Amino acid sequence: MKPIQVGLLGIGTVGSGTFNVLQRNQEEIRRRAGRGIEIAMVADLDTTRAKQIVGDAVQVVGDARAIIANPDIDVVVELIGGYGIAKALVLEAIAAGKHVVTANKALLAVHGSEIFKAAADKGVIVAYEAAVAGGIPIIKALREGLTANQIQWVAGIINGTTNFILSEMRDKGLDFDVVLKEAQRLGYAEADPTFDIEGVDAAHKATLMSAIAFGIPVQFDKAYVEGITKLAGADIKYAEQLGYRIKLLGITKRTDKGIELRVHPSLVPSKRLIANVEGAMNAVVVNGDAVGTTLYYGKGAGSEPTASAVIADLVDIARLHGADLAHSVPPLAFQSSTLGAAGKELPVLPMAEVVTSYYLRIRVADEAGVLAKITTLLANAGISIDAVLQREADEVGGEGSTQTDLIILTHDTREGDMDKALAEIQGLPTVLAPITRIRKEELN
């Protein structure tokens, strides 16, 4: 059969990895796909660098639209990133009747509904395995491998930069700002790391997993997003003493009232496998009613791990090319006629309605009666306490210190109730600093 002709938009880290892996494993890939997969054109603003990577056998252009306009190109691989020109090019490629493979989680989390509808109307595929967790095939697992299950919840370490930072904070006992600078020096964090450290990148990925898991439209605007910038080394240490580790998790969960979609630091029991995922690695835990709990672990970024996911999508398209796409696996797992049906019954919950348990660290004056006042306010809000630890003042502030830390673990409670209680506690004259609140996830 005639090889599938691919046009590559962007040949940076992932694009070069895709080209190199296709070249190196072309015979293996052809055997799996049933036909060859060839990169015929590459578009990149730096055409000189692009030519150095692909050589003379591949046409290199500076204008991405030249690839879209080429009738011989079957699949467009978008590796530019962002919301702007990438969206225009993806929609133009779909309009031209070309299949699309993308690693662009931001684009799909914000504009996925529009893009998937355009693809369905045109009868082409939009594949995006590389958009979530790099080389881990979590999209295929959710869309196909677990299709018999009613998914109960998904929780993932889906940003390598933040996991590296948290691992270093725990290992070396350092605060966030110090470790961030080291992560930037080592290349684990961007010069502008905002999307990573504020949780936005993880929220893009969690949004996509939520849509696949529960058959709802992508709704990034309804996600609760909280990063790791306010975490202190003391919280990492106290969590460890209590038998927990702190991880930035992307969480989506089915409840009777609606779908939870949230990204925030979480205390996870140290005995859980996901709590022991260190460095820049990713891991996703999925709980289904039939299969129980499953774990997917691997490299969440990098040239060739992400290329592995891009090429897996290309192989899927090669197998289906020319087939009846009306019966192919839908991009969000559920048939478009039913997509959103669950959402009408179960909306994405506002964070105030989420029920979970909490770790609280409260810096207080080291004097009698302080703990009693705080526990009374929690009790008045209907919040049940699981455990209380009071650190020695000398341990917190040095010899002669008049301040100490109260560590309180709660049972499950509604976030809105916790908000009100913490506002009252913060107003006490004996509370000397902003209260640290971290949600606790048992992941049973």
Side-chain angles (χ1 to χ4, degrees):
M1 297 177 72
K2 180 177 177 286
I4 292 289
Q5 300 296 295
V6 177
L8 213 55
L9 309 186
I11 194 157
T13 300
V14 178
S16 59
T18 300
F19 179 81
N20 291 333
V21 173
L22 265 177
Q23 291 293 103
R24 185 172 74 239
N25 296 338
Q26 59 180 302
E27 181 58 27
E28 187 78 2
I29 293 166
R30 185 192 63 76
R31 288 172 55 216
R32 293 174 187 266
R35 66 196 304 172
I37 299 173
E38 296 179 354
I39 294 178
M41 290 183 74
V42 170
D44 199 280
L45 293 175
D46 189 345
T47 54
T48 301
R49 178 182 172 278
K51 288 175 181 175
Q52 290 173 346
I53 294 170
V54 302
D56 298 328
V58 177
Q59 183 182 357
V60 174
V61 295
D63 181 6
R65 287 183 169 89
I67 288 179
I68 295 170
N70 186 336
D72 295 329
I73 296 295
D74 302 304
V75 187
V76 171
V77 178
E78 182 274 309
L79 300 173
I80 297 169
Y83 307 107
I85 187 63
K87 178 188 176 185
L89 293 173
V90 164
L91 289 173
E92 287 173 27
I94 290 169
K98 302 187 188 303
H99 304 298
V100 172
V101 173
T102 180
N104 194 336
K105 64 272 183 180
L107 175 64
L108 295 181
V110 177
H111 301 292
S113 296
E114 177 186 354
I115 288 168
F116 295 138
K117 183 181 185 304
D121 291 345
K122 194 67 180 179
V124 297
I125 296 169
V126 173
Y128 56 98
E129 183 65 66
V132 180
I136 304 172
I138 188 60
I139 301 300
K140 187 174 286 290
L142 288 169
R143 287 173 65 222
E144 300 174 44
L146 299 176
T147 193
N149 289 258
Q150 185 176 84
I151 302 299
Q152 305 298 333
W153 52 264
V154 181
I157 296 170
I158 43 181
N159 181 273
T161 299
T162 50
N163 202 52
F164 173 83
I165 290 171
L166 292 175
S167 296
E168 289 290 288
M169 288 175 70
R170 185 180 68 84
D171 287 345
K172 298 178 180 177
L174 300 172
D175 278 331
F176 170 79
D177 291 338
V178 176
V179 177
L180 173 59
K181 290 177 182 176
E182 178 68 3
Q184 289 172 316
R185 186 185 70 81
L186 294 172
Y188 287 107
E190 303 284 349
D192 180 2
T194 304
F195 261 39
D196 293 321
I197 63 176
E198 295 294 353
V200 178
D201 175 78
H204 286 147
K205 298 167 184 175
T207 296
L208 293 173
M209 293 194 296
S210 181
I212 299 168
F214 303 121
I216 59 175
V218 289
Q219 298 174 73
F220 172 71
D221 60 324
K222 295 181 181 177
Y224 173 80
V225 187
E226 179 184 322
I228 65 171
T229 56
K230 296 179 182 177
L231 288 177
D235 297 311
I236 306 286
K237 180 181 70 173
Y238 292 152
E240 193 83 6
Q241 292 171 358
L242 291 163
Y244 292 87
R245 291 186 179 172
I246 297 177
K247 297 293 184 182
L248 183 75
L249 294 182
I251 299 168
T252 186
K253 187 179 297 186
R254 183 197 302 271
T255 74
D256 292 338
K257 292 184 177 180
I259 304 298
E260 297 179 8
L261 176 55
R262 48 194 172 96
V263 170
H264 51 69
S266 302
L267 264 73
V268 180
S270 55
K271 63 185 178 182
R272 300 278 181 260
L273 288 173
I274 196 170
N276 294 281
V277 173
E278 300 292 351
M281 302 300 282
N282 279 198
V284 181
V285 181
V286 183
N287 181 273
D289 67 329
V291 75
T293 301
T294 56
L295 173 72
Y296 307 83
Y297 167 85
K299 292 183 177 179
S303 178
E304 293 202 352
T306 309
S308 171
V310 170
I311 294 167
D313 281 339
L314 289 172
V315 169
D316 278 350
I317 290 171
R319 289 167 174 163
L320 290 167
H321 194 60
D324 177 11
L325 294 182
H327 295 95
S328 64
V329 181
L332 293 177
F334 292 78
Q335 294 295 336
S336 58
S337 59
T338 66
L339 190 65
K344 293 174 184 174
E345 303 164 18
L346 296 175
V348 174
L349 290 176
M351 194 62 193
E353 295 300 319
V354 168
V355 174
T356 188
S357 54
Y358 296 86
Y359 156 103
L360 306 174
R361 177 170 61 85
I362 309 172
R363 179 64 57 88
V364 297
D366 186 23
E367 57 187 63
V370 173
L371 177 59
K373 290 178 183 177
I374 290 172
T375 55
T376 297
L377 289 174
L378 289 171
N380 290 343
I383 297 169
S384 173
I385 295 174
D386 180 33
V388 178
L389 290 87
Q390 182 168 344
R391 315 313 302 176
E392 295 294 333
D394 289 353
E395 178 187 347
V396 173
E399 188 174 348
S401 174
T402 59
Q403 302 179 8
T404 189
D405 279 339
L406 290 178
I407 310 300
I408 298 175
L409 301 182
T410 77
H411 292 295
D412 282 353
T413 191
R414 180 177 160 273
E415 176 104 0
D417 294 334
M418 179 60 76
D419 289 340
K420 291 177 184 176
L422 290 185
E424 292 182 351
I425 294 169
Q426 191 70 70
L428 294 173
T430 49
V431 174
L432 306 177
I435 298 169
T436 296
R437 165 186 31 194
I438 306 175
R439 297 159 191 91
K440 225 163 31 87
E441 297 293 332
E442 294 297 326
L443 302 183
N444 291 324

